[in-house]
């Protein structure tokens, strides 16, 4: 199974690396990190570079595409070469997926029109402008389009996908191999469970987390 | 706060990227990815390169060091330059940390002798050979030495550290910004909770997951 993990300047690393760590362990997985051009890309913090081993145009026809998000995807929601590639490979994929604000990129390319999707909770309401029904869920599947919520949600998205692709026993085996037995020391990971004052503070200061 | 994320050929990407995504968001965090030599390193799957922006020797005195693991750390448990660097900076650090089999590297460098630590569940019993007491816990703190269990445990380790460094409100804010509200679709993430047949199967085939 050919899997393309899209990378670009300013992306959030964990959006891609979480699901990569799960999906790359599927039997027969052939994973490529690729960007509009090949070469290193600097992630959002400025402190880490991931390498695009190939240009997207040189990747052939993938079975699965994963588009990560970032705090500022304005360049990627208007990136014609990226959108052209996404539209060109879309109909040949078995799974077209995103994490975090990656769903805004799929939506901007026109791939999610009339569908349901999720995104980072601070960006969720921006999906509607692209004709997408936003759902405040951790993982949303609408046909072969599977979108995950913010950043860390990519791990849950990938385990869900792994089960659909290779069955629950394989997915569980990968979960055990990656010791995914999460024990967050606080209950603050979603706007529905975090202290309300914290949610209000982040909403009021959303520009510090995310650019529109 | 100067934070060094150590990278090396064959490491597991999520071991470093999980905690990086949390700790880099701390106020004042200055993060550097570094290796014995600078340049790209290929991670364990062969499908992804991360970039060491600097050589460890050029990094000065870090406040926090994180050493990731990998399925085969035999080269790193006998890597004299890496061990020399770890021993040289150790006493100046506030936090010396590891994820997964990264604890075997700290142990092999002699930093954990007489202490308690954790590791990937399939590697846990190898700590004893270095004079370390293995604990089957997700995150183990012994003084300024903080070790995490396998792969995904680095996120929990980092949130625990974030709270110690900057207080629980900041840690919760980072948890909400990264939407860390884990919902694994299965209960199979630890040998204590996974189906016993699956645990036995992975133990019997541990060589497929990890080299000794």
């Amino acid at each position: 199974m050919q899997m393309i993990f899209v990378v670009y300047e300013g992306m959030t690393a964990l959006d891609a690396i979480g699901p990569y760590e799960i999906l790359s362990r599927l039997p027969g997985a052939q994973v490529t990190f690729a960007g509009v051009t090949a070469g290193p890309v600097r992630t959002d913090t400025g402190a880490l570079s991931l390498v695009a081993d190939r240009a997207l145009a040189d990747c052939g026809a993938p079975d699965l595409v994963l588009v990560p998000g970032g705090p500022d995807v304005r360049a990627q929601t208007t990136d014609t070469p990226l959108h052209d590639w996404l539209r060109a490979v879309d109909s040949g994929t078995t799974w077209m997926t995103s994490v975090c604000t990656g769903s805004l990129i799929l939506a901007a390319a026109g791939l999610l029109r009339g569908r349901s999707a999720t995104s980072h909770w601070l960006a969720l309401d921006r999906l509607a402008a692209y004709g997408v029904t936003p759902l405040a869920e951790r993982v949303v599947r609408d046909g072969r389009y599977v979108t995950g919520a913010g950043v860390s949600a990519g791990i849950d998205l990938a385990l869900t996908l792994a089960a659909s692709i290779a069955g629950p026993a394989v997915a569980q085996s990968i979960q055990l191999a990656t010791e995914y037995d999460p024990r967050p020391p606080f209950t603050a990971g979603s706007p529905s469970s975090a202290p309300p004052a914290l949610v209000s503070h982040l909403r009021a200061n959303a520009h510090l987390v995310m650019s529109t």
Side-chain angles (χ1 to χ4, degrees), chain A:
Chain A
M1 181 174 227
Q2 297 283 348
M3 304 180 182
I4 304 293
F5 286 73
V6 175
V7 299
Y8 55 84
E9 291 284 324
M11 63 175 276
T12 298
L14 186 56
D15 289 15
I17 304 303
Y20 147 80
E21 205 65 79
I22 303 295
L23 295 172
S24 64
R25 293 166 193 256
L26 282 171
Q30 295 193 289
V31 172
T32 304
F33 281 76
V36 169
T37 56
V41 301
R42 210 75 184 161
T43 63
D44 52 359
T45 62
L48 168 65
S49 287
L50 307 178
V51 179
D53 281 324
R54 288 197 207 166
L56 288 167
D58 299 333
C59 283
D63 302 297
L64 182 150
V65 173
L66 186 135
V67 179
D72 181 354
V73 292
R74 285 174 293 184
Q76 286 68 42
T77 52
T78 56
D79 182 337
T80 306
L82 176 58
H83 293 187
D84 286 348
W85 181 82
L86 287 167
R87 283 190 291 261
V89 301
D90 180 42
S91 65
T93 59
T94 311
W95 303 103
M96 179 62 72
T97 74
S98 68
V99 176
C100 197
T101 52
S103 59
L104 297 179
I105 303 172
L106 294 184
L111 271 52
L112 299 179
R113 189 169 299 277
R115 299 190 176 273
S116 298
T118 191
S119 192
H120 191 287
W121 64 277
L122 281 171
L124 194 58
D125 59 7
R126 289 154 61 187
L127 283 167
Y130 299 107
V132 183
T133 303
L135 296 182
E137 296 175 12
R138 191 138 177 97
V139 178
V140 171
R141 177 175 169 181
D142 186 337
R144 60 199 171 81
Y145 300 90
V146 189
T147 53
V151 193
S152 62
I155 301 174
D156 296 330
L157 171 138
L159 281 169
T160 304
L161 274 172
S164 294
I165 292 168
V170 171
Q172 289 175 307
S173 175
I174 294 172
Q175 185 181 353
L176 183 53
T178 55
E179 215 162 336
Y180 186 49
D181 179 36
R183 305 285 178 94
F186 305 102
T187 303
S190 102
S192 62
S193 62
L198 178 60
V199 177
S200 301
H201 179 76
L202 247 70
R203 271 200 205 282
N205 294 280
H207 62 284
L208 299 178
V209 179
M210 200 157 290
S211 306
T212 50

